[in-house]
Amino acid sequence: MKLIVNLKIFLLSLISRTSLIVKLYSLDKSLYYVWGMKRSGYRLIKKINKSKLIYLEDGFIHSYGIKKSKIPLSICFDKSGIYYNYNSASRLFNLINSKLRKDNYLRARRIIKLWKEFSISKYNFPNFISPPSQKYILLIDQTFGDLSIYYGGANRDSFSKMFHFAIENWPDHKIVIKVHPDVIKSKKTGYLDKTYYYKENIIVISELGQINKLIEFSTAVCVVTSQVGFEALIYQKEVHTFGNTFYSGLGLTIDHGIAKERNKKQDTTLEQLVFGSLVRYQKYLDPRNKKICEIEKIIEFINSRRKIDKFFPNNLYCLNLTPWKARQIHRYTKDLTGIKVSAFRKYRQGMQNVLSWGKSIYSDNNLYKTKTSISVEDGFIRSVGLGADLFSPMSLVFDKKGIHYDYSKPSDLEDLLQNRVVNDEELYRANQLIQNIKIKNISKYNLKTERLLFQKKQSPKQKIIIVLGQVETDNSIVYGVPNNTIKKTNYSLVCKVREDYPNDYIIYKPHPDLENGLRAKGFEENHIKNIADLIAYKTSITELFEISNRVAVFTSLGGFEALIRNIPVTCYGWPFYSGWGLTEDKVSSKLINKRRTRKLSLGELVYMAIIEYPYYFSLKFNCITEVEDIIDEIYLNRNEKKSIEQIIFRYWGTYKDFLKRTIF
């Protein structure tokens, strides 16, 4: 298997970057593509019909993360030239000067707002570079040999001119020189003479990080041909250019190196510039689903990735993980730095930030010793196949306050449900998601099962109540059902439902892990047939929802799935979705009544529990993604084929349950 994977990686490395971009961006393969003004394209340009030639270049939003991606988030697609060649007929020049309809103007304003709100740049990072506390002018150096210098009518002298202009015109300011990211990460050099670094009032910033705050708090920004000048215009900064750029000569910048022969309008608005360059001139590729998208999706992607990076602290140690669980955690954190993921690591004195799977006495004992403790569990739309069968989770939840199934203390999810305000746009998304879940019959495990062979009720007036069984040793039962309320067994649950609803038709659905022999049954499980009217073996939960009038649970996620389908739910424990006015809650708790004081709509509950709280991972595209993409992936790929590892460890859960009962 490892040999095959390595072979695939090797074969992919043989494919040119341009070919990969043409393929992923679904570009017309009958055309010829050259990469900007690179020499490699000269011979091709001379040979072929110009109508068949397309100029490509990295887009104005290139990537997210420390590693520079081979496939950019956006590309420039140009039939007439390339934007940084001021002597070309690049279509960008015309796009920028085009008048905007009202809807396009408003969209440009929204993009400007989003750009600043979510701190977007060409290269995007999890960390922000802190600006100096003194007044300063920001100077942008560039990578030596950057083609935009030559084709922008500039040279090394242009950088020298820029530096001395800043020194002479702002003697009371610090001069901040920002080195290009490629210079920081490689052996490349910049254009600004390094002797400038040691002059009075000079601050050199060579760290890798987000540049937005440097722009925002500067007095002015000076560039030769760098895109940072364009980004500074978005922040309405005074921008000085010392070369010919796509955004200079428009009346928006103060130009010191502009070519006299350039014939551009002088009254172009910022909205025209933003819409022409960021909307019309770019093509965007969403890395979460490899679909062509609009700029707003890319901004959303960068914001979501940055939120993930911000959530996890540096020097985070993952504790007590099996090799399989360690691999799952690694999937979700592989692009982050400062996280130590390995199997069987134990807590050691001095560890300040720790992560552990679920909840246990051992992990609880270490909480008070640490600065940050994160619990991780399976998400609510998990996989195509059971977790106990070692099907990889397509969603996980990471929680710093507790974990959602432990009613005795707050969790990040409960905090969201109690305090988070869901706006109209988010509510619309949640309602669309609810419809999608119902249409595609999405549940936690999305198992392939037989349809229910339903027996006739004794009376047509009888209501059907579905009682959802759980694994009795599972933490959601142990920590989700208050002690001294009801015995924590499926048999006791069915008996209680029969007591509360004596005249109704009760169908008991065993948990899939029990049916498949992956976890141990309770000692009284076999007696349930004497209480329930029907036991729904090997039956899809979504099929049962179609005939049910009510669903009864301890804490089963199936109760949440029933709410999504507008089915009344009775809870005999305290799952995360109870206590908000959407369920009938049969057990009392002063703790819950004190903490959960808000009444929620179904849309609000779904937004926070399915969209905001979990993290999603595409097994198809090997990246962090969104719930909508996961639903599509599940819907198109309901495949439960097992690996050798899954077959070998099939009965580990049953053995673990036996140990729990024997020891405790």
Side-chain angles (χ1 to χ4, degrees):
M1 179 62 72
K2 188 175 181 181
L3 180 63
I4 294 173
V5 171
N6 289 337
L7 181 60
K8 285 182 178 179
I9 294 171
F10 173 72
L11 291 174
L12 283 172
S13 69
L14 297 179
I15 302 173
S16 73
R17 180 170 181 251
T18 304
S19 298
L20 278 173
I21 287 172
V22 168
K23 179 181 179 181
L24 290 172
Y25 276 84
S26 302
L27 303 181
D28 188 345
K29 292 182 180 179
S30 67
L31 301 176
Y32 296 91
Y33 298 92
V34 293
W35 202 255
M37 299 302 296
K38 285 190 174 181
R39 292 183 179 276
S40 57
Y42 283 179
R43 190 177 298 174
L44 185 62
I45 291 170
K46 291 178 181 178
K47 281 185 176 181
I48 65 170
N49 187 324
K50 292 292 175 65
S51 65
K52 289 276 191 178
L53 182 67
I54 301 294
Y55 292 86
L56 298 179
E57 188 53 80
D58 287 336
F60 298 158
I61 303 179
H62 179 277
S63 56
Y64 177 83
I66 304 299
K67 296 177 182 178
K68 192 173 179 181
S69 174
K70 189 174 184 179
I71 305 301
L73 296 172
S74 67
I75 58 169
C76 303
F77 180 91
D78 202 319
K79 295 181 179 180
S80 306
I82 199 65
Y83 72 91
Y84 58 74
N85 182 1
Y86 77 98
N87 283 321
S88 76
S90 170
R91 71 187 185 99
L92 177 57
F93 304 146
N94 290 327
L95 292 175
I96 288 171
N97 290 325
S98 299
K99 291 289 185 183
L100 296 182
R101 299 195 314 262
K102 184 177 180 180
D103 59 334
N104 290 337
Y105 171 84
L106 293 174
R107 186 178 176 197
R109 293 302 308 163
R110 287 196 299 272
I111 290 169
I112 290 169
K113 180 176 181 293
L114 289 172
W115 187 283
K116 292 191 286 187
E117 182 180 352
F118 298 123
S119 297
I120 305 301
S121 184
K122 181 171 185 176
Y123 302 105
N124 298 276
F125 302 96
N127 62 302
F128 285 75
I129 299 171
S130 298
S133 57
Q134 310 98 318
K135 294 187 298 183
Y136 65 93
I137 304 300
L138 179 61
L139 270 62
I140 305 298
D141 198 5
Q142 291 175 252
T143 306
F144 187 79
D146 185 339
L147 292 177
S148 74
I149 304 298
Y150 175 79
Y151 288 100
N155 52 39
R156 186 184 286 276
D157 289 341
S158 304
F159 287 84
S160 178
K161 181 180 177 182
M162 175 179 70
F163 177 81
H164 287 102
F165 173 83
I167 290 287
E168 292 167 9
N169 282 272
W170 290 283
D172 59 338
H173 281 61
K174 293 287 185 182
I175 305 298
V176 173
I177 297 174
K178 176 64 181 73
V179 180
H180 192 278
D182 284 352
V183 174
I184 299 168
K185 295 187 296 180
S186 66
K187 295 180 180 179
K188 294 180 180 180
T189 59
Y191 276 96
L192 282 170
D193 193 319
K194 287 187 178 180
T195 60
Y196 297 160
Y197 293 3
Y198 306 103
K199 292 183 178 293
E200 190 178 356
N201 283 341
I202 304 301
I203 298 173
V204 179
I205 295 180
S206 58
E207 66 180 287
L208 207 59
Q210 201 67 23
I211 197 174
N212 296 65
K213 292 188 185 298
L214 277 180
I215 295 172
E216 184 179 356
F217 292 99
S218 66
T219 298
V221 176
C222 296
V223 302
V224 176
T225 60
S226 170
Q227 184 185 304
V228 174
F230 165 63
E231 297 175 18
L233 289 176
I234 292 177
Y235 282 88
Q236 297 180 309
K237 291 295 172 180
E238 179 182 311
V239 177
H240 295 259
T241 67
F242 292 80
N244 295 277
T245 70
F246 70 89
Y247 54 86
S248 58
L250 304 172
L252 297 170
T253 54
I254 300 168
D255 304 313
H256 303 267
I258 194 77
K260 293 180 180 179
E261 63 270 22
R262 293 185 71 188
N263 184 24
K264 284 190 175 183
K265 293 176 62 178
Q266 299 297 309
D267 60 350
T268 304
T269 66
L270 178 61
E271 289 76 17
Q272 285 175 285
L273 175 62
V274 165
F275 194 81
S277 56
L278 293 179
V279 177
R280 287 178 171 165
Y281 191 60
Q282 309 284 296
K283 289 182 181 292
Y284 296 93
L285 183 72
D286 192 332
R288 297 168 294 188
N289 54 25
K290 299 298 185 287
K291 292 180 181 178
I292 302 300
C293 65
E294 298 294 334
I295 182 175
E296 291 86 350
K297 279 286 184 185
I298 296 301
I299 292 175
E300 174 203 302
F301 162 74
I302 292 169
N303 182 49
S304 65
R305 283 299 313 274
R306 193 173 280 139
K307 281 171 64 178
I308 292 171
D309 284 353
K310 187 178 178 181
F311 180 86
F312 294 97
N314 282 325
N315 298 315
L316 177 66
Y317 292 88
C318 301
L319 306 180
N320 308 312
L321 299 178
T322 63
W324 187 83
K325 284 183 176 177
R327 287 207 304 277
Q328 308 318 309
I329 298 293
H330 178 71
R331 290 182 199 275
Y332 288 76
T333 60
K334 61 187 174 70
D335 294 326
L336 308 180
T337 57
I339 298 182
K340 285 80 173 176
V341 183
S342 60
F344 306 124
R345 189 192 299 273
K346 299 297 182 183
Y347 175 80
R348 290 184 180 178
Q349 190 173 1
M351 288 182 176
Q352 290 298 302
N353 305 306
V354 300
L355 178 150
S356 56
W357 197 286
K359 180 179 172 66
S360 67
I361 295 172
Y362 180 83
S363 61
D364 286 353
N365 287 339
N366 292 325
L367 289 181
Y368 72 93
K369 304 174 186 176
T370 61
K371 179 181 176 181
T372 304
S373 180
I374 299 175
S375 297
V376 57
E377 267 288 359
D378 288 335
F380 306 140
I381 298 177
R382 186 195 183 280
S383 53
V384 181
L386 298 168
D389 249 337
L390 299 188
F391 281 95
S392 294
M394 299 169 80
S395 70
L396 291 176
V397 297
F398 296 88
D399 201 305
K400 288 182 178 177
K401 289 187 173 68
I403 195 65
H404 65 83
Y405 54 69
D406 181 8
Y407 84 95
S408 69
K409 59 187 295 187
S411 66
D412 284 344
L413 178 54
E414 184 179 89
D415 184 61
L416 285 172
L417 294 170
Q418 177 66 22
N419 300 304
R420 172 75 151 80
V421 176
V422 179
N423 63 39
D424 291 342
E425 186 178 341
E426 292 167 338
L427 196 58
Y428 175 79
R429 182 183 174 190
N431 288 326
Q432 291 295 108
L433 179 61
I434 288 169
Q435 293 305 313
N436 203 17
I437 287 171
K438 291 194 286 188
I439 289 169
K440 293 178 179 175
N441 278 334
I442 299 298
S443 62
K444 182 174 183 178
Y445 296 115
N446 303 288
L447 302 171
K448 291 180 180 179
T449 50
E450 300 172 359
R451 292 187 66 88
L452 174 68
L453 299 175
F454 182 59
Q455 298 177 2
K456 290 185 178 180
K457 298 178 288 184
Q458 295 177 0
S459 166
K461 293 182 180 180
Q462 278 184 301
K463 291 183 178 179
I464 297 175
I465 298 182
I466 309 298
V467 181
L468 298 178
Q470 293 175 250
V471 177
E472 293 173 5
T473 56
D474 194 81
N475 277 350
S476 64
I477 296 287
V478 175
Y479 296 103
V481 180
N483 296 325
N484 305 318
T485 56
I486 179 176
K487 190 176 179 182
K488 302 178 186 183
T489 68
N490 292 321
Y491 175 73
S492 297
L493 176 63
V494 175
C495 289
K496 187 61 177 170
V497 173
R498 172 59 75 201
E499 179 184 330
D500 291 342
Y501 302 95
N503 299 318
D504 290 328
Y505 192 90
I506 296 175
I507 300 176
Y508 170 70
K509 173 171 170 44
H511 192 279
D513 284 353
L514 303 184
E515 289 188 282
N516 288 279
L518 301 172
R519 299 291 295 272
K521 292 182 180 180
F523 296 127
E524 301 173 303
E525 191 83 15
N526 291 333
H527 299 311
I528 292 175
K529 63 180 181 293
N530 300 324
I531 308 298
D533 294 291
L534 178 69
I535 298 182
Y537 293 113
K538 298 291 184 180
T539 306
S540 167
I541 191 171
T542 55
E543 300 290 348
L544 290 171
F545 287 153
E546 291 180 10
I547 62 169
S548 65
N549 301 109
R550 178 174 293 277
V551 169
V553 299
F554 271 134
T555 60
S556 171
L557 185 65
F560 177 51
E561 295 173 1
L563 287 179
I564 289 175
R565 292 157 176 86
N566 303 116
I567 301 168
V569 176
T570 300
C571 297
Y572 292 86
W574 286 108
F576 70 86
Y577 54 85
S578 62
W580 309 106
L582 295 168
T583 55
E584 180 187 30
D585 304 317
K586 287 291 191 178
V587 295
S588 60
S589 169
K590 291 181 180 179
L591 286 173
I592 291 293
N593 293 338
K594 185 178 179 180
R595 295 202 314 259
R596 301 183 186 180
T597 62
R598 193 178 178 194
K599 300 300 179 186
L600 295 174
S601 69
L602 179 61
E604 289 172 319
L605 176 66
V606 166
Y607 182 84
M608 290 178 273
I610 300 187
I611 296 175
E612 183 152 346
Y613 183 53
Y615 294 77
Y616 294 92
F617 188 87
S618 169
L619 298 175
K620 181 179 180 181
F621 297 116
N622 193 34
C623 66
I624 294 290
T625 188
E626 298 293 324
V627 60
E628 290 86 354
D629 298 318
I630 289 300
I631 287 175
D632 289 343
E633 197 167 319
I634 287 171
Y635 185 68
L636 296 172
N637 188 34
R638 277 189 160 103
N639 179 12
E640 297 175 37
K641 188 177 180 181
K642 295 182 176 65
S643 66
I644 294 175
E645 183 182 30
Q646 289 170 299
I647 295 169
I648 292 172
F649 288 97
R650 175 177 173 80
Y651 298 106
W652 165 245
T654 309
Y655 177 65
K656 184 172 65 174
D657 292 338
F658 171 77
L659 290 178
K660 280 185 179 181
R661 286 200 172 105
T662 304
I663 296 171
F664 300 108

